[in-house]
Amino acid sequence: MDDVDQVSRIISKTGLTAFGDFTVYNPPVMTSTLTSSAATICANTSTNLQVTIGGGDSPYTVGPFTIVYYDSVLATNVTVNSYTSGANIPVSPTASTTYTLQSVTSSKACYSSASDTKTVSIGGTSTYASGSWTPSAPLSTSAAIIDGGTYNVAANIDACSLEVKNNAVVTIPSTYKVTLSGALTVETGSSFTLENDTNLVQTGGTTNPNTGSILVKRNSSSLYLLDYTLWSSPVENQNLYNFSPNTVYDRFYVFNTATNQYNKIDPSNNFTVAKGYLIRVPKNFSSTTSSIFNGAFTGKPNSGTINYAISDQSNNIF
């Protein structure tokens, strides 16, 4: 049928009769497409579905809309009310799940049936043992386990999470990095070391998911006796004095914003997360030949959202 049909007919309703030509309007069909933010996700995480709605004519296809989709794992229809085209619909599948769009209904009761489908899979697990990864090196959507032995491979690790267990000794060589969207777990008896110029990058979550202690090595620039370096700890509960035990005891400082001065701090204190400390080089450094201070931080790695208040006393020094 054409969108506009001209017909001559008689209309009778409530006793009234009318004659003439009338326009019967069939609006364009409303369309809908189902998409997902990710085809594969880490276990115990979420992704989003989106429904893009088009076609039709206003006001018949004006939102908000009611969306109905089928969840293959739950084996039931799910209804989303007050939906806007393209908005996120969060889903947290516990297994590979196929989502099938069933229908879209506008606020004016314009209806669109649909059968568009999207499957969201859960990433697997990669295990390093006896010198190789099984079944393969981890991906950003898979969990990683280093199970015993020694790991010092010159390669990045990109995974959902990393578990170091069974007395494994892990060393990440200089210039490489470990990127996780979830937790780093180092079991008692195992070790995890980040060499200088190596990073642990954690991209997900607002709280610290990590368990166990790691060693982070950081080298200073070339320094002489009486020089200082500003340090901040990447781990929890690192003691100031233990970090630089050969520094003169009263040469640990912290910045006082109110006075624009560095104040001495008792090195029996621990580093505060996200705070910088001015520490003099060890007293056995030379005044004529430069040396590098090899810093070592030991503790549970910091992660998550860290809020730290700063202020500017109009001198552009923080």
Side-chain angles (χ1 to χ4, degrees):
M1 180 183 291
D2 294 334
D3 284 347
V4 178
D5 296 320
Q6 298 292 335
V7 297
S8 296
R9 59 182 62 179
I10 300 175
I11 297 178
S12 179
K13 184 178 181 181
T14 62
L16 299 177
T17 301
F19 297 87
D21 293 335
F22 298 89
T23 299
V24 178
Y25 179 64
N26 295 323
V29 175
M30 187 168 67
T31 62
S32 52
T33 303
L34 179 66
T35 59
S36 62
S37 298
T40 305
I41 63 173
C42 299
N44 303 312
T45 62
S46 300
T47 188
N48 295 302
L49 303 177
Q50 300 93 17
V51 179
T52 302
I53 303 165
D57 276 352
S58 179
Y60 307 105
T61 55
V62 172
F65 300 90
T66 299
I67 307 296
V68 178
Y69 67 87
Y70 181 79
D71 183 311
S72 67
V73 171
L74 298 178
T76 188
N77 283 336
V78 179
T79 300
V80 180
N81 294 310
S82 302
Y83 184 77
T84 302
S85 177
N88 288 332
I89 303 172
V91 291
S92 302
T94 57
S96 180
T97 303
T98 298
Y99 300 95
T100 303
L101 185 62
Q102 302 287 74
S103 65
V104 177
T105 307
S106 76
S107 60
K108 299 296 183 180
C110 187
Y111 176 86
S112 171
S113 61
S115 59
D116 203 7
T117 63
K118 284 294 176 289
T119 299
V120 178
S121 301
I122 305 299
T125 299
S126 295
T127 301
Y128 187 90
S130 302
S132 63
W133 289 101
T134 302
S136 60
L139 303 173
S140 61
T141 53
S142 59
I145 298 174
I146 299 178
D147 189 3
T150 299
Y151 178 96
N152 56 4
V153 179
N156 295 325
I157 295 177
D158 193 358
C160 296
S161 59
L162 175 59
E163 181 182 4
V164 181
K165 66 179 188 178
N166 195 21
N167 299 313
V169 177
V170 177
T171 302
I172 307 301
S174 181
T175 73
Y176 293 95
K177 66 179 179 179
V178 176
T179 303
L180 307 174
S181 56
L184 170 63
T185 301
V186 181
E187 291 188 355
T188 301
S190 297
S191 67
F192 182 91
T193 300
L194 294 173
E195 293 288 358
N196 185 56
D197 288 334
T198 297
N199 293 303
L200 168 63
V201 180
Q202 293 180 275
T203 60
T206 58
T207 58
N208 189 344
N210 300 320
T211 303
S213 180
I214 72 171
L215 171 63
V216 181
K217 297 180 180 181
R218 286 293 180 266
N219 295 342
S220 73
S221 57
S222 294
L223 301 170
Y224 297 90
L225 182 65
L226 306 184
D227 283 345
Y228 287 81
T229 300
L230 272 170
W231 295 96
S232 185
S233 177
V235 302
E236 293 182 355
N237 300 320
Q238 171 64 57
N239 180 261
L240 286 163
Y241 181 77
N242 290 343
F243 176 72
S244 187
N246 290 321
T247 292
V248 176
Y249 199 81
D250 63 351
R251 290 299 180 260
F252 294 79
Y253 296 87
V254 64
F255 187 68
N256 185 328
T257 305
T259 62
N260 190 27
Q261 299 289 329
Y262 279 95
N263 296 340
K264 292 179 181 180
I265 184 172
D266 189 330
S268 65
N269 287 288
N270 292 338
F271 282 83
T272 297
V273 176
K275 192 169 188 176
Y277 294 82
L278 189 66
I279 302 174
R280 184 190 280 182
V281 299
K283 57 190 175 185
N284 57 353
F285 267 42
S286 170
S287 60
T288 57
T289 303
S290 66
S291 299
I292 292 174
F293 176 77
N294 305 122
F297 299 90
T298 302
K300 174 182 171 180
N302 296 321
S303 186
T305 301
I306 299 171
N307 296 313
Y308 195 89
I310 60 174
S311 61
D312 181 5
Q313 297 298 317
S314 299
N315 50 32
N316 295 320
I317 299 177
F318 290 87

